[in-house]
Amino acid sequence: MVWWVLLGVACGSAWGAGAWFRWAYGRLDVPVVAGRRERLGLYDVAFLSGEGERVAETAMAVMLLEGRLSVQDKVVTVLDPVPRDAVEAAVVRVVGPGPRRRMWRRLSRLGRCPAIDAVGDRLAGLELVVSPSRYRVYEAADAASLMARVVSAVLGLVAVGFALARHGPVLVVLGVAVAAVGGGELFRWGTYWLPKGATQRGRAALAKYERRCRRGEWVPSADGGPGRGEADAVVLCEVACWGLRERLPALWEAVRLPAYSGSPIGDGPGLGGV
């Protein structure tokens, strides 16, 4: 019978998507790393302050201050393609070997790269942020669960219509249709919307580092490479906490604002075609 096929699809979609949502929701509860609490580094504070894009900005600021990246007229160029960590490797790969305009587009991709996700996942293990990679799966499962319930409701109504037209068991078909939609909703029972970003504990840790930065008590020199002076370390501290705009405005304009004037410069894919 046609209505049984429709009801089977309705139940499968609603319950399957509901189970996926429940699984993704449960994965957000990352166990706390055992042992003493680790000190936060430059990328850690940047992620707490501005998530993935702030980490990418901080890595670019490191490269700029060390002369391994240049900015001129909103054009970003990697001068030294040898990275010192995984985040810098992502910057080199996404920016590519040539001069780049429209870095605001590439910054969005950088903020979602696996190297930066790894920073967020480590902080999630310390209960400072929600895991970024798992949060994206959670968002997709949440949207799929909602769509599946809508689809199952429509299929249920169509099945009831077929049962009425062919003098079938209307009440039974209606009951199964309600069970399909209700079953999908039951998978969400006891859950609530989890916000993205820093947890309450993470916000408290960020506030502590911001206070230390204002007082000049936190200079992340241990996170830097050779040749960096104390003044540059202070700039990086402030970039991680509050962004590029105040301390490195040229880089901020290059990564935040699209350029429509001047002679065109090719903006092909970076290394690896990204």
Side-chain angles (χ1 to χ4, degrees):
M1 297 293 182
V2 176
W3 53 80
W4 294 122
V5 174
L6 294 173
L7 290 176
V9 175
C11 291
S13 61
W15 298 349
W20 182 33
F21 169 81
R22 196 74 191 199
W23 171 79
Y25 182 88
R27 290 175 76 235
L28 293 180
D29 186 17
V30 182
V32 180
V33 176
R36 67 180 181 85
R37 183 176 175 182
E38 299 182 37
R39 293 172 56 188
L40 300 183
L42 193 64
Y43 291 157
D44 298 326
V45 174
F47 197 98
L48 287 174
S49 178
E51 300 183 6
E53 290 192 8
R54 180 65 56 80
V55 177
E57 292 174 354
T58 303
M60 294 174 69
V62 171
M63 297 175 69
L64 177 65
L65 293 173
E66 294 182 351
R68 296 184 287 124
L69 180 143
S70 69
V71 181
Q72 186 174 6
D73 297 329
K74 301 180 184 179
V75 178
V76 176
T77 306
V78 174
L79 303 176
D80 181 1
V82 180
R84 292 180 178 163
D85 55 49
V87 178
E88 288 189 6
V91 171
V92 172
R93 184 174 62 254
V94 172
V95 175
R100 299 298 180 198
R101 290 189 186 270
R102 298 185 291 275
M103 271 302 300
W104 56 281
R105 294 178 179 175
R106 295 172 183 267
L107 185 67
S108 177
R109 278 181 284 173
L110 270 172
R112 300 190 302 270
C113 73
I116 291 179
D117 276 354
V119 176
D121 288 340
R122 192 184 79 83
L123 293 175
L126 297 172
E127 290 190 325
L128 299 178
V129 299
V130 176
S131 170
S133 55
R134 296 186 178 190
Y135 192 85
R136 283 199 287 272
V137 175
Y138 161 71
E139 286 183 313
D142 181 62
S145 175
L146 176 61
M147 182 62 66
R149 281 177 288 149
V150 173
V151 170
S152 65
V154 172
L155 291 177
L157 291 175
V158 174
V160 170
F162 271 106
L164 283 171
R166 301 187 180 185
H167 305 289
V170 177
L171 293 179
V172 174
V173 172
L174 180 60
V176 175
V178 172
V181 179
E185 183 63 29
L186 281 177
F187 281 101
R188 306 177 67 89
W189 185 265
T191 66
Y192 56 92
W193 178 256
L194 295 174
K196 183 180 180 181
T199 62
Q200 182 176 357
R201 181 177 174 184
R203 291 191 294 272
L206 174 62
K208 182 185 74 172
Y209 275 86
E210 287 178 342
R211 288 194 299 270
R212 292 180 60 192
C213 185
R214 289 190 183 97
R215 297 169 183 168
E217 299 172 354
W218 178 52
V219 180
S221 56
D223 299 315
R228 180 182 304 161
E230 182 177 349
D232 288 349
V234 173
V235 170
L236 291 176
C237 160
E238 296 182 2
V239 167
C241 289
W242 301 294
L244 296 166
R245 186 169 187 173
E246 296 298 325
R247 298 307 303 262
L248 297 173
L251 183 56
W252 180 81
E253 290 182 1
V255 301
R256 287 298 181 186
L257 301 177
Y260 295 105
S261 60
S263 58
I265 294 181
D267 191 32
L271 298 178
V274 295

